[in-house]
Amino acid sequence: MSTIEEKLQAVRRSIAQAATEAQRPPESVTLLAVSKTFGADAVLAAAAAGQTAFGENYLQEAIDKIAAVRLALPQTVLAWHFIGPIQSNKTRPIAEHFDWVHTVEREKIAARLSEQRPDGMADLNICLQVNISGEASKSGVSPSDLPALARAVAQLPKLRLRGLMAIPEPQTDPVLQRAAFAQLRVLYEQLRADGLPLDTLSMGMSADLQAAVLEGATIVRVGSAIFGARDYS
């Protein structure tokens, strides 16, 4: 058994434990393996262990990796999620290569993704990134501006608004972790009550995935706990 396979199994057990505690079926939580900075070989090892959803932050690295993985596994369907910041000049390749985008925070970016999504491809799944902790250094729409953005994005063709994403301020206290995720869940439920058919809460990473699952996460984004420490040198 590969190290990646062993780590995947451990993460899945953690998700299942949290889901059971929350009285949710474990399959209600999708594990998104964040493969940024790791090569196609790491993705192939994870795919061999049954992982099907992968998250990428760096666009050119991701495009090259997607091509390499598709060449190696032409019959395997994987879902690719873009989870990095989006610059206006990068929307076309994102629209052309990804199945999901988690980091939309402006209507302009959503409109460009809509315009540039190729004909014949399935609608691009969109999560709106919310700056839930109000940090000046963090990306994301403010909670007060979220409803207007959500209504605007929901009207755009070739996009499917699925839900919300957040990266709260890091906390080691599980109570504080859950409090931030609960804030995002309340916003999500308010939008659903207003008639938007959302089904996705993308929240929780390696250090806080259990708190996120307890508060309703449907996607958890886990990298280092699967692939190991990253080398940014």
Side-chain angles (χ1 to χ4, degrees):
M1 185 183 296
S2 73
T3 300
I4 286 176
E5 184 177 2
E6 292 173 344
K7 290 181 175 179
L8 270 170
Q9 289 186 359
V11 172
R12 289 171 182 150
R13 285 194 296 270
S14 294
I15 292 171
Q17 179 182 359
T20 299
E21 185 178 342
Q23 299 183 318
R24 301 172 55 194
E27 59 270 21
S28 67
V29 184
T30 296
L31 172 58
L32 181 62
V34 179
S35 43
K36 66 175 182 179
T37 77
F38 292 94
D41 55 340
V43 172
L44 293 172
Q51 180 63 28
T52 58
F54 294 89
E56 293 286 335
N57 289 58
Y58 308 121
L59 184 56
Q60 191 55 56
E61 173 198 321
I63 290 172
D64 294 343
K65 196 181 306 179
I66 290 169
V69 170
R70 285 179 176 160
L71 187 63
L73 298 174
Q75 304 301 318
T76 302
V77 178
L78 302 177
W80 293 94
H81 298 234
F82 190 77
I83 59 174
I86 306 174
Q87 298 168 308
S88 294
N89 63 346
K90 301 292 177 63
T91 53
R92 184 176 297 279
I94 292 172
E96 291 173 345
H97 289 89
F98 286 86
D99 305 291
W100 285 73
V101 179
H102 290 231
T103 45
V104 172
E105 59 175 346
R106 290 183 290 150
E107 185 178 353
K108 175 185 176 182
I109 293 296
R112 289 176 65 89
L113 291 170
S114 171
E115 293 164 3
Q116 295 165 347
R117 184 68 166 174
D119 293 335
M121 292 186 74
D123 288 352
L124 183 60
N125 296 294
I126 299 294
C127 289
L128 303 180
Q129 183 171 357
V130 182
N131 188 347
I132 201 69
S133 301
E135 296 173 88
S137 61
K138 285 275 176 69
S139 299
V141 62
S142 69
S144 61
D145 291 336
L146 174 63
L149 177 62
R151 286 192 294 270
V153 173
Q155 299 301 315
L156 292 170
K158 299 185 180 179
L159 303 184
R160 181 183 173 192
L161 180 60
R162 298 295 295 269
L164 306 181
M165 183 275 257
I167 307 173
E169 184 178 7
Q171 302 283 355
T172 56
D173 183 342
V175 174
L176 296 177
Q177 290 175 351
R178 288 191 63 171
F181 294 136
Q183 291 178 52
L184 190 69
R185 176 173 47 78
V186 168
L187 294 172
Y188 165 84
E189 291 172 347
Q190 288 172 345
L191 293 176
R192 281 171 52 87
D194 288 340
L196 292 175
L198 307 185
D199 62 6
T200 301
L201 273 174
S202 171
M203 60 188 193
M205 298 187 287
S206 294
D208 55 13
L209 72 85
Q210 290 182 314
V213 172
L214 288 169
E215 290 299 335
T218 63
I219 296 178
V220 291
R221 309 179 305 273
V222 180
S224 58
I226 297 170
F227 297 108
R230 291 190 177 84
D231 180 3
Y232 289 100
S233 60

